[in-house]
Amino acid sequence: MLVLTALLLLDAAIVGILARDLLSARRVPRLTPHHAQPGDGSDVTVIIPARNEAQRIGRCLAGLADQGLAELEVIVLDDDSRDGTHQVARAWQERLPGLRVVRGAPLPAGWTGKCWACWQAAQLSTRAWLLFLDADTAPQPGLIAALLHYARREGCALLSLLPLLELGSFWERVIMPAFTGMIQAVFPLDRVNDPRSPLAMANGQCILIRRDVYVAVDGHHAIRNSVLEDVHLAQLVKGRGARLAVVGGPALLRVRMYTSLAEISEGLRKNALAGARAGGFWRALWGGLRQMVLAFAPLSLMLLGAGLVLAGHGTGGLYLAHGILMAIITLGYWGLLVRWLNGLHPLWGVAFPLGTLSYVLLAARAFFDNATGRGVTWKERAYRQ
């Protein structure tokens, strides 16, 4: 009876976590393409920090050219690229008359590269809104108009959008859904969007912010040594009592963050330690533990049950049955999620335990490297956290 009670409690906990996550996800607004209004183009400056993005930035600039905003200002800040990024970007000036491609100044001590690039570009704009886009994003028609419309209607000082995450290779499809699940476990978006909650985060791939608010919080200058500048900027804005919102927008923006296991390893190790600190120790610990329970508890029960059955123990079948039931529920949930968020076949949900294990190992490596003084490397630059 005691074993059955414990298993039922574990079942209830897992189902409760998944139900809570599903309700939280459904509360996040989803933006769709919007028709541009008069003056939209002259109200915003798009800022693209770019370091060695020659292979990717063309898709971003093509998407901006298709926004239908004649007076749109775009600033590409070339952060000491060595692969022809500057020349590739300049080739788009005919299609984007408002495009400026600026060579950044050398990186000062105490700054991370992205913060320095964003800060320099922001100083060149006098428009009411700043839209920070990563160079590897692919804006879809109606993106900027939709962001401006929602921000104005809802009174947002900072609006961040979650794009469709394109996943091409095997390891992208295994690890990245588990990584995004970990982020949303630490930063539940319904709480992020709740003005009564102090919890704040943003997605640095797409951040729209009122320029007066950016100036008031001292923008990227105030967080100049951060490798998780999006979350820290959001915390500054919300900490001043300004309205913050994170919304979904898979029809408005696409991004492929990484294309190989090596890129995934470098990128996620950079984010792991900083993300844990930004979310707070206990929140990060809870988020990590609950994701590991979802990933490994069903499999552990199945293995334990199978072992007990083979040993002739009477409770083995009970463990095995509950493990199978929980595996169906959790893997089915993640299958639906990867279909909804990433456009993948639901069977990729089966990879969730492997993806979670892979991310935990990458995070452990990041903590070890930082503790031993090696820090992390990103874009050919080393950072200690």
Side-chain angles (χ1 to χ4, degrees):
M1 181 61 70
L2 184 60
V3 169
L4 178 60
T5 301
L7 289 173
L8 289 174
L9 287 174
L10 179 60
D11 294 346
I14 289 176
V15 170
I17 289 172
L18 295 180
R20 198 267 177 220
D21 285 356
L22 186 60
L23 288 173
S24 174
R26 290 180 65 87
R27 292 191 190 108
V28 177
R30 275 201 165 199
L31 303 193
T32 54
H34 197 274
H35 293 296
Q37 301 299 311
D40 278 354
S42 60
D43 272 355
V44 62
T45 297
V46 179
I47 292 174
I48 305 172
R51 177 172 169 82
N52 296 331
E53 298 285 2
Q55 298 300 316
R56 301 181 179 186
I57 197 169
R59 192 167 73 142
C60 182
L61 295 174
L64 292 175
D66 290 338
Q67 295 297 304
L69 299 173
E71 300 179 12
L72 182 66
E73 179 179 58
V74 180
I75 300 175
V76 173
L77 200 296
D78 178 14
D79 181 21
D80 194 28
S81 296
R82 302 171 188 178
D83 67 344
T85 295
H86 193 91
Q87 291 76 13
V88 171
R90 284 179 61 88
W92 284 89
Q93 287 179 320
E94 184 175 343
R95 284 193 61 191
L96 275 170
L99 171 63
R100 285 191 282 169
V101 185
V102 180
R103 294 191 187 275
L107 181 66
W111 284 77
T112 58
K114 187 174 182 181
C115 284
W116 177 233
C118 289
W119 176 252
Q120 290 178 86
Q123 307 313 299
L124 302 176
S125 171
T126 58
R127 297 193 175 187
W129 294 90
L130 304 176
L131 174 58
F132 294 96
L133 286 180
D134 278 1
D136 56 4
T137 58
Q140 304 300 298
L143 166 68
I144 295 176
L147 290 171
L148 289 171
H149 173 75
Y150 187 88
R152 290 164 176 159
R153 188 187 72 194
E154 300 297 325
C156 299
L158 186 153
L159 175 63
S160 189
L161 185 136
L162 303 176
L164 176 68
L165 188 59
E166 298 173 331
L167 305 174
S169 68
F170 173 81
W171 284 110
E172 290 172 79
R173 296 181 178 194
V174 168
I175 299 176
M176 295 308 294
F179 167 65
T180 56
M182 192 76 72
I183 291 175
Q184 295 189 30
V186 178
F187 297 98
L189 296 182
D190 56 339
R191 293 194 59 191
V192 169
N193 289 341
D194 186 350
R196 298 166 297 181
S197 168
L199 193 64
M201 67 88 69
N203 171 33
Q205 296 162 342
C206 180
I207 293 178
L208 178 71
I209 185 170
R210 277 185 10 221
R211 186 176 177 277
D212 62 322
V213 173
Y214 183 83
V215 171
V217 300
D218 203 22
H220 288 89
H221 182 269
I223 53 172
R224 54 191 173 275
N225 64 346
S226 173
V227 297
L228 202 68
E229 77 295 327
D230 45 8
V231 174
H232 291 137
L233 181 61
Q235 290 172 340
L236 285 178
V237 170
K238 197 171 187 182
R240 289 180 62 92
R243 177 85 163 87
L244 164 72
V246 179
V247 298
L252 294 172
L253 191 69
R254 304 171 72 95
V255 63
R256 188 173 182 188
M257 296 174 64
Y258 312 112
T259 60
S260 67
L261 181 58
E263 289 183 3
I264 294 170
S265 175
E266 184 179 66
L268 298 195
R269 283 189 286 120
K270 170 183 72 75
N271 290 331
L273 181 57
R277 289 177 173 172
F281 175 78
W282 293 111
R283 179 172 295 282
L285 180 63
W286 158 246
L289 288 176
R290 53 153 273 174
Q291 292 302 98
M292 286 190 282
V293 168
L294 294 177
F296 306 134
L299 180 60
S300 299
L301 287 176
M302 291 167 62
L303 291 175
L304 176 60
L308 291 174
V309 167
L310 291 174
H313 198 286
T315 60
L318 192 60
Y319 283 107
L320 184 59
H322 279 270
I324 292 172
L325 176 62
M326 286 300 100
I328 292 172
I329 291 174
T330 55
L331 298 182
Y333 171 82
W334 284 101
L336 290 174
L337 213 58
V338 297
R339 176 67 176 172
W340 186 36
L341 297 180
N342 307 112
L344 298 179
H345 193 285
L347 283 178
W348 280 101
V350 176
F352 173 63
L354 177 59
T356 301
L357 176 62
S358 301
Y359 178 73
V360 168
L361 293 175
L362 289 174
R365 168 76 183 277
F367 277 84
F368 177 79
D369 286 349
N370 192 71
T372 55
R374 280 180 284 189
V376 296
T377 300
W378 181 243
K379 300 283 186 180
E380 301 177 354
R381 289 168 172 155
Y383 299 106
R384 282 290 309 279
Q385 299 184 62

